[in-house]
Amino acid sequence: METAILRNATLSEGMTAYVFHLPVDDLPTASGYWITDEPEMVFSAAYHPGVHPFSPGGQWRLVVYDPGSMKNRVDQVLQIT
């Protein structure tokens, strides 16, 4: 998962984050899955019109790793419908 625009430099417990799918041709090694804390990036075309719904559904494990502290900030299993 790649990092998109973050208003807050560090995602932490209790913060809302959004995961979305956006394949990017000029980043061929990117997974196409991004995380942001900017809702406009996901729920409008303000940043990019090609954002796709998150799929496939099911249980996903979301891990946000902080390389500075070498610890996971978030490690949670989510049900995506």
Side-chain angles (χ1 to χ4, degrees):
M1 184 174 306
E2 311 298 326
T3 302
I5 293 172
L6 294 176
R7 290 178 288 155
N8 297 296
T10 303
L11 293 174
S12 59
E13 189 172 338
M15 292 179 63
T16 300
Y18 305 92
V19 177
F20 62 97
H21 185 237
L22 176 64
V24 182
D25 291 338
D26 58 339
L27 293 173
T29 59
S31 67
Y33 290 96
W34 302 81
I35 188 167
T36 183
D37 64 348
E38 175 60 59
E40 291 294 310
M41 185 162 232
V42 178
F43 300 110
S44 77
Y47 289 94
H48 196 284
V51 173
H52 303 291
F54 192 88
S55 68
Q59 283 194 338
W60 283 76
R61 182 176 179 199
L62 175 66
V63 178
V64 177
Y65 178 74
D66 180 353
S69 67
M70 295 176 32
K71 294 182 179 179
N72 291 342
R73 293 280 183 178
V74 177
D75 189 346
Q76 188 172 3
V77 175
L78 304 168
Q79 181 67 38
I80 306 293
T81 56

